[in-house]
Amino acid sequence: MPIVVNLDVMLAKRKMSLTELSNRVGITLANMSILKSGKAKAIRFSTLEEICEILSCQPGDILEYMDDEAYKKLMG
Amino acid sequence: MKLKNLLRNELTWVFVILLLMFLIMEFFLKPELTISSTNCDDSKNNNRIKQAKITDTTETGFSYSDSLPCWKVEILKDSLKQVSDERKRINEGGDVEYQFSFPNFIGTAIVYDKREEKEEFKLFCKNSNEKFQLEKKLKEATNKDTIKAIKNRIDYLTATMCANESVPYKERIKNKSYFISLNPYKFIDSINYPDYYINKRFLVNDNKYYIKYVIFDSVRNKTIYGRFAYKQIGVKYVAKGNNLLIPISLKSYNILNKLIGLAVFLTLFYIIYAFILLPLKCIIKISKGNPFALSNIRSLHLIAFFLMAYPFLVLLPKILIHFLFRKTIPYEFTFNYWECFYSNSTYLISSIIVLFVARAFKRGYDLQKEQELTI
Protein backbone atom coordinates (compact mmCIF):
# COMPACT_ATOMS: atom_id res chain seq x y z
CA MET A 1 0.00 0.00 0.00
CA PRO A 2 1.75 3.21 -1.12
CA ILE A 3 0.79 5.24 1.98
CA VAL A 4 3.88 6.08 4.00
CA VAL A 5 3.69 6.89 7.70
CA ASN A 6 6.15 9.65 8.56
CA LEU A 7 5.70 9.30 12.29
CA ASP A 8 9.44 8.92 12.92
CA VAL A 9 10.12 12.23 11.12
CA MET A 10 7.55 14.07 13.25
CA LEU A 11 8.85 12.42 16.42
CA ALA A 12 12.39 13.56 15.57
CA LYS A 13 11.15 17.08 14.87
CA ARG A 14 9.34 17.22 18.23
CA LYS A 15 12.26 15.43 19.95
CA MET A 16 9.88 12.88 21.44
CA SER A 17 10.41 9.16 21.88
CA LEU A 18 7.98 6.51 20.62
CA THR A 19 7.46 5.25 24.18
CA GLU A 20 6.41 8.68 25.40
CA LEU A 21 4.01 9.10 22.48
CA SER A 22 2.48 5.66 23.06
CA ASN A 23 2.04 6.46 26.77
CA ARG A 24 0.38 9.78 26.04
CA VAL A 25 -1.89 8.43 23.31
CA GLY A 26 -2.80 5.34 25.33
CA ILE A 27 -1.74 2.78 22.73
CA THR A 28 0.65 -0.06 23.42
CA LEU A 29 4.23 0.35 22.25
CA ALA A 30 3.85 -2.74 20.04
CA ASN A 31 0.92 -1.19 18.18
CA MET A 32 2.73 2.12 17.85
CA SER A 33 5.74 0.26 16.37
CA ILE A 34 3.40 -1.40 13.84
CA LEU A 35 2.10 2.04 12.88
CA LYS A 36 5.60 3.51 12.63
CA SER A 37 6.98 0.65 10.53
CA GLY A 38 4.07 0.91 8.06
CA LYS A 39 2.74 -2.59 8.75
CA ALA A 40 -0.63 -1.26 9.95
CA LYS A 41 -3.60 -1.88 7.66
CA ALA A 42 -5.76 0.97 8.94
CA ILE A 43 -5.77 3.84 11.46
CA ARG A 44 -8.74 5.03 13.47
CA PHE A 45 -9.69 8.73 13.26
CA SER A 46 -9.59 8.89 17.06
CA THR A 47 -5.97 7.64 17.12
CA LEU A 48 -4.98 10.06 14.36
CA GLU A 49 -6.65 12.90 16.25
CA GLU A 50 -4.72 12.08 19.45
CA ILE A 51 -1.38 11.81 17.63
CA CYS A 52 -1.95 15.10 15.77
CA GLU A 53 -2.91 16.82 19.01
CA ILE A 54 0.15 15.60 20.91
CA LEU A 55 2.61 16.27 18.07
CA SER A 56 0.86 19.53 17.13
CA CYS A 57 0.69 18.69 13.45
CA GLN A 58 -1.71 17.92 10.59
CA PRO A 59 -2.64 14.39 9.42
CA GLY A 60 -0.80 15.18 6.19
CA ASP A 61 2.41 15.58 8.16
CA ILE A 62 2.14 12.00 9.33
CA LEU A 63 0.62 10.29 6.28
CA GLU A 64 1.95 10.68 2.76
CA TYR A 65 0.86 9.15 -0.55
CA MET A 66 3.54 7.84 -2.92
CA ASP A 67 3.25 6.22 -6.32
CA ASP A 68 4.15 2.57 -6.60
CA GLU A 69 7.66 3.07 -7.98
CA ALA A 70 8.71 5.62 -5.38
CA TYR A 71 7.19 3.44 -2.64
CA LYS A 72 9.11 0.37 -3.85
CA LYS A 73 12.31 2.42 -3.99
CA LEU A 74 11.78 3.68 -0.45
CA MET A 75 10.94 0.25 0.99
CA GLY A 76 13.72 -1.46 -0.94
CA MET B 1 -7.04 -12.36 -14.20
CA LYS B 2 -10.41 -13.99 -13.60
CA LEU B 3 -9.06 -17.30 -14.87
CA LYS B 4 -6.10 -17.00 -12.51
CA ASN B 5 -8.45 -16.44 -9.58
CA LEU B 6 -10.57 -19.37 -10.70
CA LEU B 7 -7.53 -21.64 -10.84
CA ARG B 8 -6.57 -20.59 -7.33
CA ASN B 9 -9.92 -21.75 -6.04
CA GLU B 10 -9.85 -25.27 -4.55
CA LEU B 11 -13.44 -25.91 -5.62
CA THR B 12 -12.46 -25.46 -9.26
CA TRP B 13 -9.94 -28.24 -8.80
CA VAL B 14 -12.56 -30.49 -7.19
CA PHE B 15 -14.82 -30.07 -10.20
CA VAL B 16 -11.94 -30.52 -12.64
CA ILE B 17 -10.92 -33.77 -10.91
CA LEU B 18 -14.52 -35.02 -10.91
CA LEU B 19 -14.89 -34.18 -14.58
CA LEU B 20 -11.65 -35.99 -15.41
CA MET B 21 -12.80 -39.04 -13.42
CA PHE B 22 -16.06 -39.03 -15.31
CA LEU B 23 -14.31 -38.82 -18.69
CA ILE B 24 -11.79 -41.55 -17.81
CA MET B 25 -14.47 -43.92 -16.55
CA GLU B 26 -16.91 -43.17 -19.32
CA PHE B 27 -14.55 -43.51 -22.26
CA PHE B 28 -11.65 -45.70 -21.19
CA LEU B 29 -12.85 -48.02 -18.47
CA LYS B 30 -16.32 -48.96 -19.56
CA PRO B 31 -16.53 -52.78 -19.50
CA GLU B 32 -16.90 -54.35 -22.87
CA LEU B 33 -20.20 -56.11 -22.98
CA THR B 34 -20.39 -56.68 -26.69
CA ILE B 35 -20.50 -60.31 -27.70
CA SER B 36 -18.94 -61.15 -31.00
CA SER B 37 -21.29 -62.71 -33.48
CA THR B 38 -18.65 -64.94 -35.06
CA ASN B 39 -20.18 -67.93 -33.31
CA CYS B 40 -23.22 -67.61 -35.44
CA ASP B 41 -23.08 -68.68 -39.05
CA ASP B 42 -25.91 -66.50 -40.17
CA SER B 43 -25.60 -63.31 -38.20
CA LYS B 44 -27.27 -61.26 -40.91
CA ASN B 45 -30.50 -63.19 -40.45
CA ASN B 46 -30.61 -62.61 -36.69
CA ASN B 47 -33.41 -60.12 -36.86
CA ARG B 48 -35.63 -62.51 -38.76
CA ILE B 49 -35.02 -65.47 -36.46
CA LYS B 50 -37.94 -66.12 -34.16
CA GLN B 51 -37.09 -69.49 -32.63
CA ALA B 52 -34.00 -70.91 -31.02
CA LYS B 53 -33.17 -74.49 -30.16
CA ILE B 54 -30.20 -75.42 -28.03
CA THR B 55 -29.06 -78.97 -27.58
CA ASP B 56 -26.93 -79.75 -24.58
CA THR B 57 -24.41 -82.39 -25.64
CA THR B 58 -21.74 -81.59 -23.11
CA GLU B 59 -23.66 -82.63 -20.02
CA THR B 60 -24.78 -86.22 -19.56
CA GLY B 61 -27.66 -87.40 -17.45
CA PHE B 62 -29.36 -90.66 -16.68
CA SER B 63 -32.87 -91.60 -15.73
CA TYR B 64 -34.09 -94.45 -13.55
CA SER B 65 -36.41 -97.09 -14.77
CA ASP B 66 -40.03 -97.34 -13.65
CA SER B 67 -39.55 -101.02 -13.00
CA LEU B 68 -37.24 -100.35 -10.02
CA PRO B 69 -38.71 -100.83 -6.55
CA CYS B 70 -39.90 -97.68 -4.80
CA TRP B 71 -37.22 -97.70 -2.08
CA LYS B 72 -34.46 -98.00 -4.70
CA VAL B 73 -35.92 -95.08 -6.61
CA GLU B 74 -35.94 -93.05 -3.38
CA ILE B 75 -32.30 -93.94 -2.68
CA LEU B 76 -31.36 -93.02 -6.24
CA LYS B 77 -33.29 -89.76 -6.00
CA ASP B 78 -31.56 -88.96 -2.73
CA SER B 79 -28.08 -89.72 -4.02
CA LEU B 80 -28.75 -87.73 -7.21
CA LYS B 81 -29.92 -84.80 -5.11
CA GLN B 82 -26.78 -85.06 -2.96
CA VAL B 83 -24.54 -85.13 -6.04
CA SER B 84 -26.32 -82.19 -7.64
CA ASP B 85 -26.25 -80.23 -4.37
CA GLU B 86 -22.53 -80.88 -4.02
CA ARG B 87 -21.91 -79.84 -7.62
CA LYS B 88 -23.96 -76.70 -7.06
CA ARG B 89 -22.03 -75.92 -3.87
CA ILE B 90 -18.67 -76.32 -5.64
CA ASN B 91 -19.82 -74.29 -8.65
CA GLU B 92 -20.94 -71.51 -6.36
CA GLY B 93 -17.49 -71.28 -4.84
CA GLY B 94 -17.17 -74.19 -2.41
CA ASP B 95 -15.17 -73.83 0.78
CA VAL B 96 -13.24 -70.58 0.76
CA GLU B 97 -11.47 -69.15 3.75
CA TYR B 98 -10.58 -65.47 3.49
CA GLN B 99 -7.42 -64.50 5.30
CA PHE B 100 -6.46 -60.84 5.10
CA SER B 101 -8.89 -58.67 3.26
CA PHE B 102 -10.00 -55.14 2.66
CA PRO B 103 -13.78 -55.05 2.52
CA ASN B 104 -14.96 -54.47 -1.03
CA PHE B 105 -11.47 -54.47 -2.40
CA ILE B 106 -8.71 -57.07 -2.20
CA GLY B 107 -7.69 -59.91 0.01
CA THR B 108 -6.17 -63.35 0.13
CA ALA B 109 -7.98 -66.63 0.34
CA ILE B 110 -7.27 -70.34 0.82
CA VAL B 111 -9.45 -73.02 -0.70
CA TYR B 112 -9.47 -76.52 0.73
CA ASP B 113 -11.95 -79.28 1.23
CA LYS B 114 -13.73 -78.63 4.47
CA ARG B 115 -15.74 -81.82 4.28
CA GLU B 116 -12.74 -83.78 5.58
CA GLU B 117 -12.47 -81.34 8.45
CA LYS B 118 -16.08 -82.07 9.32
CA GLU B 119 -15.41 -85.82 9.07
CA GLU B 120 -12.43 -85.39 11.35
CA PHE B 121 -14.54 -83.49 13.84
CA LYS B 122 -17.11 -86.27 13.75
CA LEU B 123 -14.33 -88.80 14.39
CA PHE B 124 -13.04 -86.68 17.27
CA CYS B 125 -16.52 -86.64 18.83
CA LYS B 126 -16.82 -90.38 18.33
CA ASN B 127 -13.39 -91.00 19.90
CA SER B 128 -14.07 -88.80 22.89
CA ASN B 129 -17.40 -90.52 23.43
CA GLU B 130 -15.72 -93.93 23.26
CA LYS B 131 -13.02 -92.76 25.66
CA PHE B 132 -15.68 -91.60 28.11
CA GLN B 133 -17.46 -94.97 27.91
CA LEU B 134 -14.17 -96.87 28.35
CA GLU B 135 -13.26 -94.80 31.41
CA LYS B 136 -16.60 -95.79 32.91
CA LYS B 137 -15.92 -99.43 32.11
CA LEU B 138 -12.41 -99.17 33.58
CA LYS B 139 -13.83 -98.26 37.00
CA GLU B 140 -16.07 -101.33 36.99
CA ALA B 141 -13.55 -103.80 35.47
CA THR B 142 -11.81 -106.34 37.72
CA ASN B 143 -10.05 -108.61 35.24
CA LYS B 144 -6.37 -107.62 34.74
CA ASP B 145 -6.36 -108.39 31.01
CA THR B 146 -9.53 -106.41 30.46
CA ILE B 147 -8.08 -103.44 32.38
CA LYS B 148 -4.88 -103.61 30.30
CA ALA B 149 -6.83 -103.78 27.02
CA ILE B 150 -9.05 -100.85 28.04
CA LYS B 151 -6.03 -98.81 29.11
CA ASN B 152 -4.27 -99.50 25.79
CA ARG B 153 -7.35 -98.44 23.87
CA ILE B 154 -7.70 -95.25 25.96
CA ASP B 155 -4.01 -94.44 25.36
CA TYR B 156 -4.48 -94.97 21.63
CA LEU B 157 -7.59 -92.77 21.55
CA THR B 158 -5.89 -90.01 23.58
CA ALA B 159 -2.83 -90.08 21.30
CA THR B 160 -5.00 -89.84 18.16
CA MET B 161 -7.04 -86.99 19.59
CA CYS B 162 -3.94 -85.09 20.77
CA ALA B 163 -2.17 -85.56 17.43
CA ASN B 164 -5.11 -84.07 15.61
CA GLU B 165 -5.64 -81.34 18.16
CA SER B 166 -2.04 -80.06 18.36
CA VAL B 167 -1.91 -78.88 14.74
CA PRO B 168 -5.07 -77.35 13.21
CA TYR B 169 -6.57 -79.20 10.29
CA LYS B 170 -5.97 -76.26 7.95
CA GLU B 171 -2.20 -76.42 8.54
CA ARG B 172 -1.98 -80.20 8.28
CA ILE B 173 -3.74 -80.51 4.96
CA LYS B 174 -1.46 -80.27 1.93
CA ASN B 175 -4.04 -79.98 -0.82
CA LYS B 176 -4.64 -76.25 -0.56
CA SER B 177 -4.93 -73.59 -3.24
CA TYR B 178 -3.97 -69.99 -2.68
CA PHE B 179 -5.75 -67.04 -4.24
CA ILE B 180 -5.98 -63.29 -4.45
CA SER B 181 -9.58 -62.34 -3.91
CA LEU B 182 -10.97 -59.32 -5.71
CA ASN B 183 -14.28 -57.88 -4.67
CA PRO B 184 -16.98 -57.06 -5.79
CA TYR B 185 -16.98 -58.60 -9.25
CA LYS B 186 -20.17 -59.43 -11.04
CA PHE B 187 -20.53 -62.37 -13.34
CA ILE B 188 -22.46 -61.28 -16.39
CA ASP B 189 -24.39 -64.48 -16.77
CA SER B 190 -26.75 -63.51 -19.51
CA ILE B 191 -26.33 -61.99 -22.92
CA ASN B 192 -29.13 -60.58 -24.92
CA TYR B 193 -28.85 -62.56 -28.11
CA PRO B 194 -30.97 -60.98 -30.22
CA ASP B 195 -34.25 -61.82 -28.49
CA TYR B 196 -33.27 -64.48 -25.97
CA TYR B 197 -31.50 -64.39 -22.65
CA ILE B 198 -28.97 -67.16 -22.63
CA ASN B 199 -27.55 -68.03 -19.29
CA LYS B 200 -23.85 -68.46 -18.87
CA ARG B 201 -22.62 -70.47 -15.97
CA PHE B 202 -19.42 -70.76 -14.00
CA LEU B 203 -18.37 -74.36 -13.41
CA VAL B 204 -15.64 -76.12 -11.48
CA ASN B 205 -14.48 -79.49 -12.72
CA ASP B 206 -11.42 -81.35 -11.51
CA ASN B 207 -9.99 -78.17 -9.94
CA LYS B 208 -10.23 -76.40 -13.27
CA TYR B 209 -12.55 -73.51 -13.92
CA TYR B 210 -14.89 -73.18 -16.86
CA ILE B 211 -17.58 -70.97 -18.25
CA LYS B 212 -20.41 -72.80 -19.90
CA TYR B 213 -21.87 -70.85 -22.76
CA VAL B 214 -23.82 -71.26 -25.96
CA ILE B 215 -22.50 -71.50 -29.49
CA PHE B 216 -24.99 -70.96 -32.26
CA ASP B 217 -23.65 -72.82 -35.22
CA SER B 218 -26.50 -73.37 -37.60
CA VAL B 219 -29.67 -71.79 -38.87
CA ARG B 220 -32.29 -73.92 -40.55
CA ASN B 221 -35.81 -72.94 -41.50
CA LYS B 222 -35.54 -69.62 -39.71
CA THR B 223 -34.59 -71.43 -36.52
CA ILE B 224 -31.23 -70.92 -34.90
CA TYR B 225 -29.60 -74.04 -33.46
CA GLY B 226 -27.05 -73.86 -30.73
CA ARG B 227 -25.17 -76.09 -28.34
CA PHE B 228 -23.48 -75.68 -25.00
CA ALA B 229 -19.71 -75.47 -24.84
CA TYR B 230 -17.07 -74.95 -22.20
CA LYS B 231 -14.36 -72.33 -22.03
CA GLN B 232 -11.56 -72.87 -19.54
CA ILE B 233 -10.67 -69.78 -17.54
CA GLY B 234 -7.93 -68.98 -15.06
CA VAL B 235 -10.09 -67.59 -12.27
CA LYS B 236 -12.47 -68.96 -9.70
CA TYR B 237 -15.70 -67.20 -8.88
CA VAL B 238 -17.51 -67.27 -5.57
CA ALA B 239 -21.08 -66.17 -6.13
CA LYS B 240 -21.60 -65.53 -2.42
CA GLY B 241 -20.00 -62.14 -1.84
CA ASN B 242 -19.14 -61.68 -5.54
CA ASN B 243 -15.50 -62.63 -5.02
CA LEU B 244 -13.20 -63.32 -7.91
CA LEU B 245 -10.30 -65.56 -6.95
CA ILE B 246 -7.08 -65.55 -8.95
CA PRO B 247 -4.73 -68.46 -8.22
CA ILE B 248 -1.24 -67.59 -6.95
CA SER B 249 1.72 -69.51 -5.53
CA LEU B 250 2.33 -69.95 -1.81
CA LYS B 251 5.30 -67.55 -1.96
CA SER B 252 3.23 -64.81 -3.64
CA TYR B 253 0.43 -65.53 -1.17
CA ASN B 254 2.75 -64.95 1.80
CA ILE B 255 4.21 -61.76 0.29
CA LEU B 256 0.75 -60.47 -0.54
CA ASN B 257 -0.48 -61.22 2.98
CA LYS B 258 2.34 -59.09 4.39
CA LEU B 259 1.68 -56.29 1.90
CA ILE B 260 -2.03 -56.26 2.64
CA GLY B 261 -1.27 -56.27 6.36
CA LEU B 262 0.93 -53.21 5.87
CA ALA B 263 -1.74 -51.53 3.74
CA VAL B 264 -4.38 -52.21 6.42
CA PHE B 265 -2.07 -50.59 9.00
CA LEU B 266 -1.46 -47.57 6.76
CA THR B 267 -5.17 -47.18 6.05
CA LEU B 268 -5.94 -47.32 9.75
CA PHE B 269 -3.32 -44.65 10.37
CA TYR B 270 -4.78 -42.57 7.51
CA ILE B 271 -8.32 -42.86 8.90
CA ILE B 272 -7.26 -42.11 12.49
CA TYR B 273 -5.14 -39.12 11.45
CA ALA B 274 -7.54 -37.61 8.93
CA PHE B 275 -10.88 -38.29 10.54
CA ILE B 276 -10.07 -38.29 14.27
CA LEU B 277 -6.81 -36.49 15.11
CA LEU B 278 -7.13 -33.50 12.77
CA PRO B 279 -10.76 -32.66 13.72
CA LEU B 280 -9.82 -33.09 17.38
CA LYS B 281 -6.90 -30.67 16.95
CA CYS B 282 -9.28 -28.13 15.38
CA ILE B 283 -11.87 -28.51 18.14
CA ILE B 284 -9.23 -28.05 20.87
CA LYS B 285 -7.94 -24.89 19.21
CA ILE B 286 -11.46 -23.49 18.80
CA SER B 287 -12.35 -24.30 22.42
CA LYS B 288 -9.25 -22.36 23.52
CA GLY B 289 -10.80 -19.25 21.97
CA ASN B 290 -8.68 -19.04 18.87
CA PRO B 291 -10.85 -20.31 16.03
CA PHE B 292 -9.40 -18.23 13.19
CA ALA B 293 -5.87 -19.53 13.38
CA LEU B 294 -3.79 -20.44 10.35
CA SER B 295 -3.22 -23.95 11.75
CA ASN B 296 -7.00 -24.50 11.87
CA ILE B 297 -7.38 -23.48 8.26
CA ARG B 298 -4.52 -25.79 7.31
CA SER B 299 -6.11 -28.66 9.27
CA LEU B 300 -9.47 -28.08 7.58
CA HIS B 301 -7.81 -28.07 4.18
CA LEU B 302 -6.01 -31.30 5.05
CA ILE B 303 -9.26 -32.92 6.21
CA ALA B 304 -10.94 -31.86 2.95
CA PHE B 305 -8.00 -33.21 0.97
CA PHE B 306 -8.04 -36.56 2.81
CA LEU B 307 -11.82 -36.83 2.40
CA MET B 308 -11.51 -36.09 -1.30
CA ALA B 309 -8.58 -38.46 -1.79
CA TYR B 310 -10.31 -41.39 -0.05
CA PRO B 311 -12.65 -42.45 -2.91
CA PHE B 312 -9.78 -42.16 -5.36
CA LEU B 313 -7.50 -44.15 -3.08
CA VAL B 314 -10.14 -46.87 -3.03
CA LEU B 315 -10.88 -46.77 -6.73
CA LEU B 316 -7.44 -46.27 -8.31
CA PRO B 317 -5.81 -49.45 -6.90
CA LYS B 318 -8.89 -51.35 -8.05
CA ILE B 319 -8.51 -50.03 -11.56
CA LEU B 320 -4.78 -50.74 -11.42
CA ILE B 321 -5.32 -54.33 -10.27
CA HIS B 322 -8.02 -54.86 -12.88
CA PHE B 323 -5.55 -53.54 -15.47
CA LEU B 324 -2.75 -55.81 -14.21
CA PHE B 325 -4.93 -58.91 -14.40
CA ARG B 326 -6.77 -57.86 -17.56
CA LYS B 327 -5.53 -60.94 -19.42
CA THR B 328 -6.46 -63.37 -16.64
CA ILE B 329 -9.91 -61.97 -15.89
CA PRO B 330 -12.42 -62.92 -18.60
CA TYR B 331 -14.77 -60.22 -19.83
CA GLU B 332 -17.71 -61.97 -18.17
CA PHE B 333 -16.39 -60.78 -14.82
CA THR B 334 -16.57 -57.09 -14.27
CA PHE B 335 -16.94 -54.56 -11.52
CA ASN B 336 -18.85 -51.35 -11.83
CA TYR B 337 -16.50 -48.42 -11.45
CA TRP B 338 -19.35 -45.98 -11.03
CA GLU B 339 -21.05 -48.04 -8.35
CA CYS B 340 -17.78 -48.15 -6.42
CA PHE B 341 -17.32 -44.41 -6.87
CA TYR B 342 -20.91 -43.61 -5.88
CA SER B 343 -20.65 -45.72 -2.74
CA ASN B 344 -17.84 -43.41 -1.63
CA SER B 345 -19.47 -40.20 -2.86
CA THR B 346 -20.37 -39.21 0.73
CA TYR B 347 -16.68 -38.53 1.27
CA LEU B 348 -16.59 -36.21 -1.74
CA ILE B 349 -19.67 -34.27 -0.61
CA SER B 350 -18.24 -33.99 2.91
CA SER B 351 -14.94 -32.76 1.47
CA ILE B 352 -16.72 -29.99 -0.44
CA ILE B 353 -18.57 -28.95 2.73
CA VAL B 354 -15.30 -28.92 4.71
CA LEU B 355 -13.72 -26.84 1.93
CA PHE B 356 -16.53 -24.28 2.31
CA VAL B 357 -15.96 -24.20 6.08
CA ALA B 358 -12.22 -23.74 5.48
CA ARG B 359 -12.97 -20.79 3.18
CA ALA B 360 -15.18 -19.24 5.86
CA PHE B 361 -12.39 -19.69 8.39
CA LYS B 362 -9.92 -18.11 5.97
CA ARG B 363 -12.20 -15.05 5.65
CA GLY B 364 -12.49 -14.94 9.43
CA TYR B 365 -8.71 -15.10 9.71
CA ASP B 366 -8.32 -12.20 7.22
CA LEU B 367 -10.86 -10.07 9.10
CA GLN B 368 -9.22 -10.82 12.41
CA LYS B 369 -5.81 -9.90 11.01
CA GLU B 370 -7.22 -6.63 9.66
CA GLN B 371 -8.81 -5.89 12.99
CA GLU B 372 -5.55 -6.58 14.79
CA LEU B 373 -3.61 -4.26 12.46
CA THR B 374 -6.05 -1.39 12.82
CA ILE B 375 -4.39 1.04 15.23
Side-chain angles (χ1 to χ4, degrees):
Chain A
M1 197 166 58
I3 298 279
V4 182
V5 181
N6 289 324
L7 194 63
D8 46 353
V9 178
M10 281 313 292
L11 281 171
K13 272 184 187 171
R14 302 285 181 261
K15 288 176 185 159
M16 195 185 281
S17 70
L18 193 70
T19 322
E20 193 189 338
L21 180 70
S22 68
N23 283 337
R24 286 177 67 179
V25 177
I27 291 172
T28 59
L29 186 62
N31 277 346
M32 200 55 98
S33 291
I34 288 169
L35 184 65
K36 198 187 120 186
S37 59
K39 283 178 190 165
K41 291 227 172 187
I43 182 164
R44 286 191 192 93
F45 278 139
S46 57
T47 317
L48 193 62
E49 190 189 318
E50 294 264 355
I51 292 169
C52 287
E53 196 185 323
I54 292 158
L55 295 176
S56 314
C57 64
Q58 293 299 313
D61 297 334
I62 298 166
L63 303 174
E64 185 189 345
Y65 172 77
M66 273 186 187
D67 57 43
D68 273 338
E69 261 181 45
Y71 181 75
K72 272 176 196 168
K73 222 177 206 177
L74 182 77
M75 300 311 269
Chain B
M1 201 67 183
K2 270 183 183 174
L3 188 76
K4 219 175 179 180
N5 281 337
L6 208 66
L7 287 175
R8 267 186 209 156
N9 198 326
E10 308 91 330
L11 290 171
T12 318
W13 288 106
V14 175
F15 289 120
V16 167
I17 291 166
L18 282 176
L19 193 73
L20 276 177
M21 274 306 285
F22 173 78
L23 291 174
I24 289 169
M25 287 200 274
E26 200 60 30
F27 295 107
F28 295 104
L29 300 171
K30 220 171 188 182
E32 287 174 27
L33 289 172
T34 49
I35 310 289
S36 84
S37 59
T38 48
N39 288 336
C40 183
D41 288 339
D42 198 1
S43 52
K44 285 175 191 169
N45 292 335
N46 282 349
N47 293 332
R48 291 189 279 117
I49 295 161
K50 292 292 169 206
Q51 284 177 303
K53 281 182 183 171
I54 302 155
T55 47
D56 191 354
T57 54
T58 52
E59 270 191 1
T60 52
F62 64 93
S63 58
Y64 33 84
S65 162
D66 287 342
S67 60
L68 280 173
C70 181
W71 61 273
K72 260 195 174 175
V73 169
E74 286 304 314
I75 288 172
L76 263 173
K77 265 187 185 176
D78 192 46
S79 51
L80 274 173
K81 196 181 173 295
Q82 271 184 25
V83 168
S84 83
D85 282 354
E86 182 55 23
R87 274 189 72 85
K88 200 182 166 196
R89 195 182 70 85
I90 289 171
N91 288 340
E92 278 174 0
D95 298 318
V96 183
E97 196 167 302
Y98 299 101
Q99 297 292 300
F100 249 121
S101 70
F102 268 111
N104 287 329
F105 180 28
I106 190 172
T108 50
I110 304 177
V111 174
Y112 62 95
D113 201 344
K114 278 189 178 174
R115 281 176 302 166
E116 283 178 36
E117 194 177 12
K118 281 171 195 165
E119 290 298 322
E120 202 171 84
F121 182 69
K122 271 184 196 169
L123 190 74
F124 178 83
C125 292
K126 198 182 147 196
N127 283 350
S128 55
N129 194 26
E130 193 185 337
K131 196 182 158 190
F132 180 70
Q133 298 293 341
L134 284 172
E135 274 168 356
K136 258 188 179 177
K137 271 186 188 172
L138 190 68
K139 280 177 192 169
E140 291 161 8
T142 46
N143 191 342
K144 271 187 180 178
D145 289 340
T146 320
I147 290 171
K148 203 183 172 186
I150 290 171
K151 270 186 179 174
N152 281 344
R153 181 70 188 153
I154 288 174
D155 285 348
Y156 170 75
L157 288 174
T158 320
T160 323
M161 282 155 70
C162 285
N164 287 347
E165 252 187 1
S166 58
V167 186
Y169 175 82
K170 198 174 81 187
E171 283 167 33
R172 263 183 287 130
I173 192 167
K174 280 177 186 170
N175 192 15
K176 282 186 285 190
S177 328
Y178 300 92
F179 295 91
I180 306 177
S181 86
L182 301 176
N183 182 305
Y185 268 80
K186 272 183 186 163
F187 178 53
I188 307 164
D189 58 353
S190 58
I191 51 163
N192 198 349
Y193 186 89
D195 293 328
Y196 319 98
Y197 278 98
I198 293 141
N199 286 326
K200 285 189 170 193
R201 276 201 292 154
F202 171 77
L203 297 173
V204 182
N205 193 11
D206 203 17
N207 279 336
K208 284 174 185 163
Y209 314 117
Y210 300 90
I211 287 177
K212 190 180 172 187
Y213 63 106
V214 179
I215 297 177
F216 291 100
D217 33 21
S218 58
V219 180
R220 273 174 276 140
N221 301 329
K222 287 188 181 180
T223 304
I224 181 166
Y225 287 88
R227 61 187 167 83
F228 283 104
Y230 289 114
K231 176 173 84 174
Q232 192 175 348
I233 53 166
V235 291
K236 185 183 168 79
Y237 184 64
V238 185
K240 193 184 171 189
N242 297 331
N243 278 307
L244 191 72
L245 305 182
I246 300 169
I248 46 167
S249 65
L250 177 62
K251 202 177 167 186
S252 318
Y253 172 83
N254 286 336
I255 293 170
L256 203 73
N257 254 353
K258 277 171 196 159
L259 282 176
I260 292 175
L262 187 73
V264 167
F265 173 75
L266 286 176
T267 316
L268 266 178
F269 178 76
Y270 179 96
I271 289 168
I272 290 171
Y273 181 69
F275 306 139
I276 298 171
L277 286 183
L278 277 176
L280 211 67
K281 205 176 133 192
C282 270
I283 290 165
I284 289 169
K285 202 120 198 193
I286 290 167
S287 66
K288 276 182 181 173
N290 191 11
F292 304 115
L294 260 183
S295 63
N296 271 352
I297 297 162
R298 217 175 294 132
S299 298
L300 282 170
H301 272 123
L302 265 177
I303 293 168
F305 170 75
F306 282 131
L307 280 167
M308 201 189 299
Y310 191 79
F312 295 99
L313 282 177
V314 173
L315 194 62
L316 287 178
K318 268 190 179 184
I319 292 170
L320 193 74
I321 285 164
H322 188 78
F323 182 74
L324 284 175
F325 290 109
R326 68 192 181 284
K327 281 179 185 166
T328 321
I329 301 171
Y331 69 85
E332 284 91 353
F333 298 99
T334 181
F335 80 86
N336 194 338
Y337 298 96
W338 274 119
E339 207 176 281
C340 179
F341 195 65
Y342 282 140
S343 63
N344 288 308
S345 59
T346 329
Y347 292 98
L348 269 181
I349 295 162
S350 317
S351 105
I352 291 168
I353 292 167
V354 175
L355 266 181
F356 276 121
V357 174
R359 294 224 107 201
F361 268 67
K362 178 86 176 57
R363 182 84 184 116
Y365 172 77
D366 287 345
L367 286 173
Q368 185 175 294
K369 204 83 197 153
E370 205 171 297
Q371 173 69 26
E372 277 169 6
L373 289 173
T374 300
I375 311 295

